[in-house]
Amino acid sequence: VRLGFGLHLGWSIEGAIGSEFKIDASYLSPDVNMATSLEAATKHYGVTVLMSEALVRTCTPALSRNLRPVDRVRFQGAKLPTRLFTADLDGEALAPWAEDVSLVARRASVTSHISPTRIGGLCAAYTAQAGAEQ
């Protein structure tokens, strides 16, 4: 299983679409379309996360230093090109996996098709869960 995430900053309008038997929520705006395009582009660039320049400009300098520019593109429907960024994470080097023996054992019990080290947020969530169980 491979997941891709497109992250963008902007506005949207939520609306209910459907009939009296089935209603779905839909989010509409050019910014939602941008996030969708970024997610689709993760496959092309072979990365897990793509972020727009609009989002990266709001990040702290400490976080921005860890982001790598990937390309400058103009998506269909966009007026201006945007720079794309990604975060290259070495999951094995992220704490606590490399240091905590009990968490290494827990990680080994996770099925082979799920890699919690691919995304830093999952590492934090898994660590929080492990701390709550103790």
Side-chain angles (χ1 to χ4, degrees), residues 60-116:
T60 64
L63 177 61
S64 295
R65 282 191 293 274
N66 295 303
L67 303 178
R68 174 175 59 91
V70 174
D71 202 352
R72 181 182 161 105
V73 298
R74 186 172 64 82
F75 289 107
Q76 185 175 2
K79 294 178 182 175
L80 300 172
T82 187
R83 290 175 59 199
L84 307 180
F85 295 83
T86 192
D88 296 313
L89 297 177
D90 178 2
E92 296 301 320
L94 292 175
W97 303 119
E99 300 168 5
D100 189 330
V101 176
S102 66
L103 287 177
V104 171
R106 274 182 202 266
R107 180 172 175 230
S109 70
V110 176
T111 59
S112 62
H113 65 278
I114 298 174
S115 176

Side-chain angles (χ1 to χ4, degrees), residues 34-48:
M34 173 66 82
T36 302
S37 297
L38 289 167
E39 184 276 325
T42 60
K43 297 170 193 74
H44 174 76
Y45 291 104
V47 297
T48 303

